[in-house]
Amino acid sequence: MGGLLTEADLFGLSWRPIFLLNVPVGLAVLLLGRRFVPESTVRKADRLDLTGMLLSALALVLILFPLTEGHTHHWPLWCFAMLAAGLLTLGAFLRQQQRKRHNAPLIPLSLLRDRQFSGGLSAQLMLGLLCGLFFMTWTLYLQHGLGLSPFHAALAFVLLSLGELAGATVAAKSGGRFARRLPQAGTLIALASMAAYGLQAGRLQADLTLVAMTAPVVLIGLGLGMVSGPLADMSLARVPHEAAGSASGLFNTAIHLGIALGTALTALVFFAATNGSPDAGLNRDAFTSVLWWVSGALALMWALMFCLPRQANSRAD
């Protein structure tokens, strides 16, 4: 749908109308949620940590904005000033959370002392980073490097999504029997498939077709699909009941933060090589170099999973 809307160039807005797809989806969620999701309340709810919310949001903006825009503006002084301010704000946030540790902080820092949760959280961050870096550059490679239309580039994403669906099904049917071995196996499948895709892209250059890339793309999706479900289950398994909301929120934030960081890194590892040029050769070369970064993130994610349980239903590793 996004590919079709981009090709249609509604009102001369290029790709921007793709956000309209969120409107019916959002309305459906609201209506179905009211009908099927039961309400849950507590008699005595904790007060929102508004200061923590403000400090954390401000820190993320101060760090991510210069990483995203720095290359475009040739890294002026204000970029480094914002990064420094962001790190200081992040430090202030952690200090504030430490002072509120007995008074409903936004993030109970004691969670991070648990090896299983902190390792899984770090792996989730790496998953988001490699997805943000890969998907952003992949769509540019498909269109600028291979000359595919937006619609045919979108079909490549459909192939990857089918692989993800298959991987998630495998993970769901395993019922956690393989513990950390399943997501680690998925990571290795994605890593090997990414390497095969990079070799294929380098060998065939502009002659690489959608049909020819089907196998590595589907396998990349399969591997990634085997990761996300088990990773969440095992990372949150030992979290105390009273901290479940904070842990779940932090875990979900990690992947979105990773995606934002990965997207910001495209300025350094992709656009620095292409300089925004539509030249097909430059875009192909830049994308194959990005695959090395993605492979490194996959390898690090695999290593972080050693913090997860070695056996099913184990509460200690």
Side-chain angles (χ1 to χ4, degrees):
M1 291 288 291
L4 287 173
L5 283 173
T6 301
E7 283 195 14
D9 192 18
L10 298 177
F11 313 111
L13 294 174
S14 184
W15 52 267
R16 293 165 182 81
I18 63 171
F19 294 109
L20 295 175
L21 293 173
N22 294 330
V23 176
V25 174
L27 289 174
V29 169
L30 287 173
L31 295 174
L32 294 173
R34 286 183 61 85
R35 174 67 179 83
F36 296 106
V37 179
E39 182 62 276
S40 61
T41 58
V42 292
R43 294 180 180 177
K44 185 181 179 183
D46 293 324
R47 295 183 61 184
L48 285 175
D49 181 8
L50 295 175
T51 303
M53 291 168 64
L54 177 63
L55 286 173
S56 61
L58 182 60
L60 291 178
V61 170
L62 288 171
I63 291 171
L64 290 175
F65 185 80
L67 287 177
T68 305
E69 296 294 325
H71 174 72
T72 304
H73 299 281
H74 306 291
W75 297 103
L77 182 60
W78 60 261
C79 283
F80 298 100
M82 284 187 73
L83 282 170
L87 293 175
L88 288 173
T89 306
L90 182 62
F93 166 69
L94 294 174
R95 178 63 178 165
Q96 183 260 351
Q97 293 295 287
Q98 179 67 23
R99 288 201 303 267
K100 279 183 66 70
R101 63 185 181 275
H102 300 304
N103 188 24
L106 186 66
I107 300 174
L109 296 181
S110 58
L111 286 172
L112 302 179
R113 289 196 289 270
D114 181 85
R115 180 170 175 259
Q116 185 171 322
F117 178 74
S118 58
L121 185 71
S122 301
Q124 177 83 333
L125 181 70
M126 283 295 103
L127 177 62
L129 189 148
L130 71 90
C131 286
L133 184 56
F134 175 69
F135 292 137
M136 176 70 173
T137 55
W138 191 36
T139 188
L140 295 170
Y141 162 74
L142 291 171
Q143 293 175 75
H144 292 166
L146 298 181
L148 298 183
S149 68
F151 175 69
H152 286 95
L155 289 180
F157 278 84
V158 173
L159 291 174
L160 188 135
S161 297
L162 291 174
E164 283 190 290
L165 181 60
T169 302
V170 169
K173 289 186 177 297
S174 75
R177 293 192 305 274
F178 304 105
R180 73 186 182 203
R181 286 175 293 173
L182 183 69
Q184 282 188 313
T187 303
L188 293 178
I189 290 172
L191 181 58
S193 304
M194 199 75 71
Y197 189 38
L199 291 173
Q200 185 187 50
R203 180 171 57 86
L204 296 179
Q205 294 291 321
D207 296 326
L208 181 59
T209 64
L210 190 60
V211 174
M213 71 175 73
T214 296
V217 166
V218 171
L219 286 172
I220 289 170
L222 176 72
L224 294 178
M226 292 169 62
V227 170
S228 54
L231 182 59
D233 289 344
M234 285 182 278
S235 300
L236 299 171
R238 293 182 11 168
V239 171
H241 178 75
E242 63 274 10
S246 295
S248 177
L250 186 59
F251 192 78
N252 282 310
T253 299
I255 193 164
H256 293 295
L257 176 59
I259 290 172
L261 286 170
T263 304
L265 280 175
T266 60
L268 299 175
V269 300
F270 185 83
F271 290 115
T274 65
N275 203 26
S277 170
D279 180 77
L282 282 176
N283 280 269
R284 288 194 299 269
D285 292 343
F287 176 69
T288 52
S289 67
V290 163
L291 292 181
W292 287 103
W293 290 81
V294 174
S295 298
L298 279 166
L300 181 56
M301 184 173 72
W302 175 82
L304 287 167
M305 288 180 190
F306 279 102
C307 296
L308 300 176
R310 184 167 40 204
Q311 298 176 340
N313 302 317
S314 171
R315 295 187 63 83
D317 189 2

